[in-house]
Amino acid sequence: MRLEHHEFRDMDLVGGDPALDLVNTVTARDTQPRDWLDDYPALLRWARKASLLADQDAEALAAQAQAAPVKAAAALARCKQLREALCAALYALAAGAEPADAELETLDQARLAASRAARLVSRGGRLQTQWSVEGSGLDLVAHTVTAYAIELLRDARLDRLRVCDGRDCGWVFVDTSKSGRRRWCDMATCGNVAKAKRFSARHKH
């Protein structure tokens, strides 16, 4: 898988869930995969764009990563391990199969690590699970996404889980259309490319 520098944009967040959007930080999984998380700062940029990190937390983590690059690289590797296990599990589920034990074990280890770092806080009379820079350190993004991933994997929305039909894509998304027949991660990109290909194939003499 080739590393590629990428500036994340709103159009990169089409999964319908932060866990799916993490999986989609690799593009063209079906052809020549390119990994947009080329370093720890890229993970922070993605997490900010996905509204998973407050500015002050992102700044604190950037400072930690700069001070301890080896630890930051290890934290990024753990987050990518989570991403790939989640991707494999989601691809299996989208195809109507059961995820492999190895993927479930990786997700379970991520769940346990996130659980150990979490703290219960009371907000408006309701208990919430919260992660912090102090508790999670450089694994804050991974811990937060893990919570979304476990929630998603238990959720009825998985019935609407799709893998994009577009070539050079392979992104996953929750189909929120009324018909439940959405084929593309984004009509403006993969959908239009497919339409253009069909049009050109029809009009070739």
Side-chain angles (χ1 to χ4, degrees), residues 9-168:
R9 300 161 295 173
D10 291 339
M11 64 188 290
D12 297 324
L13 306 173
V14 298
D17 188 278
L20 299 180
D21 288 327
L22 177 69
V23 169
N24 295 344
T25 57
V26 173
T27 192
R29 282 188 185 271
D30 56 330
T31 50
Q32 295 175 310
R34 303 193 306 279
D35 185 348
W36 287 343
L37 298 181
D38 57 334
D39 56 15
Y40 192 83
L43 178 63
L44 295 182
R45 286 198 311 275
W46 171 79
R48 284 294 298 117
K49 180 55 77 174
S51 302
L52 290 176
L53 276 184
D55 285 339
Q56 67 210 46
D57 289 343
E59 286 164 18
L61 290 173
Q64 280 189 25
Q66 206 166 6
V70 174
K71 286 185 177 177
L76 178 62
R78 284 191 291 274
C79 194
K80 288 187 182 189
Q81 188 180 29
L82 163 69
R83 177 187 69 187
E84 295 311 302
L86 183 58
C87 178
L90 291 169
Y91 269 41
L93 291 165
E98 293 292 334
D101 288 345
E103 273 98 54
L104 293 180
E105 175 64 20
T106 299
L107 292 171
D108 205 30
Q109 290 304 316
R111 178 186 65 82
L112 291 169
S115 181
R116 281 193 296 272
R119 292 290 172 269
L120 278 178
V121 294
S122 182
R123 289 266 166 82
R126 291 175 183 271
L127 289 183
Q128 289 183 347
T129 308
Q130 190 178 72
W131 287 269
S132 65
V133 174
E134 294 74 32
S136 293
L138 292 160
D139 287 310
L140 179 58
V141 176
H143 289 169
T144 307
V145 175
T146 296
Y148 279 102
I150 299 302
E151 195 66 33
L152 177 70
L153 291 167
R154 293 173 172 156
D155 198 318
R157 286 181 303 161
L158 274 187
D159 293 344
R160 288 289 193 99
L161 180 69
R162 306 283 185 266
V163 178
C164 181
D165 266 356
R167 182 172 157 75
D168 291 328

